[in-house]
Amino acid sequence: MSLPSPAASGPAVAAAAVGAAEWDLLTDQVRWSPEAFRLLGRDPGLGPLSLDQLPARLPEQDRPALRRMMTDALVHGRTPAGTVRILCPDGHRVVVHCAGVPVVDEDGQVTALRMLLRAV
């Protein structure tokens, strides 16, 4: 499964109300498409959230699901998928389905995580 990078997602992803995000584990770079910012209620001027910051945007009861997805992807190299609720700064909650793919180098080490985010 190959997902578009946030930079390459363009109007087709935005029209489908699907956001794209990528966390590069080697460089600590994080890239989100404009739609990812909108879906997650994040001001683009603040930049994207790191993987370490992401759990704070979820209700406590949804954090184990996020941890499972991240462990599946980053430790086991499996395709993460699941649905979580996002707490937006303005107080509303958005239910977001996440599906992704870990990017693996030639040695089998996960070097990045790419996710598609869709409001449900």
Side-chain angles (χ1 to χ4, degrees), residues 9-10 22 49 65 67 76 78 90 97 109 112:
S9 57
E22 180 175 353
L49 295 170
R67 276 192 295 276
H76 303 297
R78 294 189 290 242
D90 66 4
H97 181 75
Q109 297 298 310

Side-chain angles (χ1 to χ4, degrees), residues 17-32:
V18 173
E22 180 175 353
W23 292 270
D24 187 313
L25 305 176
L26 299 178
T27 65
D28 284 333
Q29 281 191 301
V30 182
R31 293 182 299 272
W32 284 7

Side-chain angles (χ1 to χ4, degrees), residues 60-100:
E60 190 67 42
Q61 61 268 33
D62 286 11
R63 292 177 189 178
L66 180 66
R67 276 192 295 276
R68 277 191 301 278
M69 282 189 279
M70 295 303 105
T71 300
D72 279 350
L74 303 176
V75 175
H76 303 297
R78 294 189 290 242
T79 302
T83 302
V84 295
R85 292 169 293 168
I86 303 294
L87 303 171
C88 295
D90 66 4
H92 79 278
R93 292 180 184 206
V94 178
V95 178
V96 176
H97 181 75
C98 310

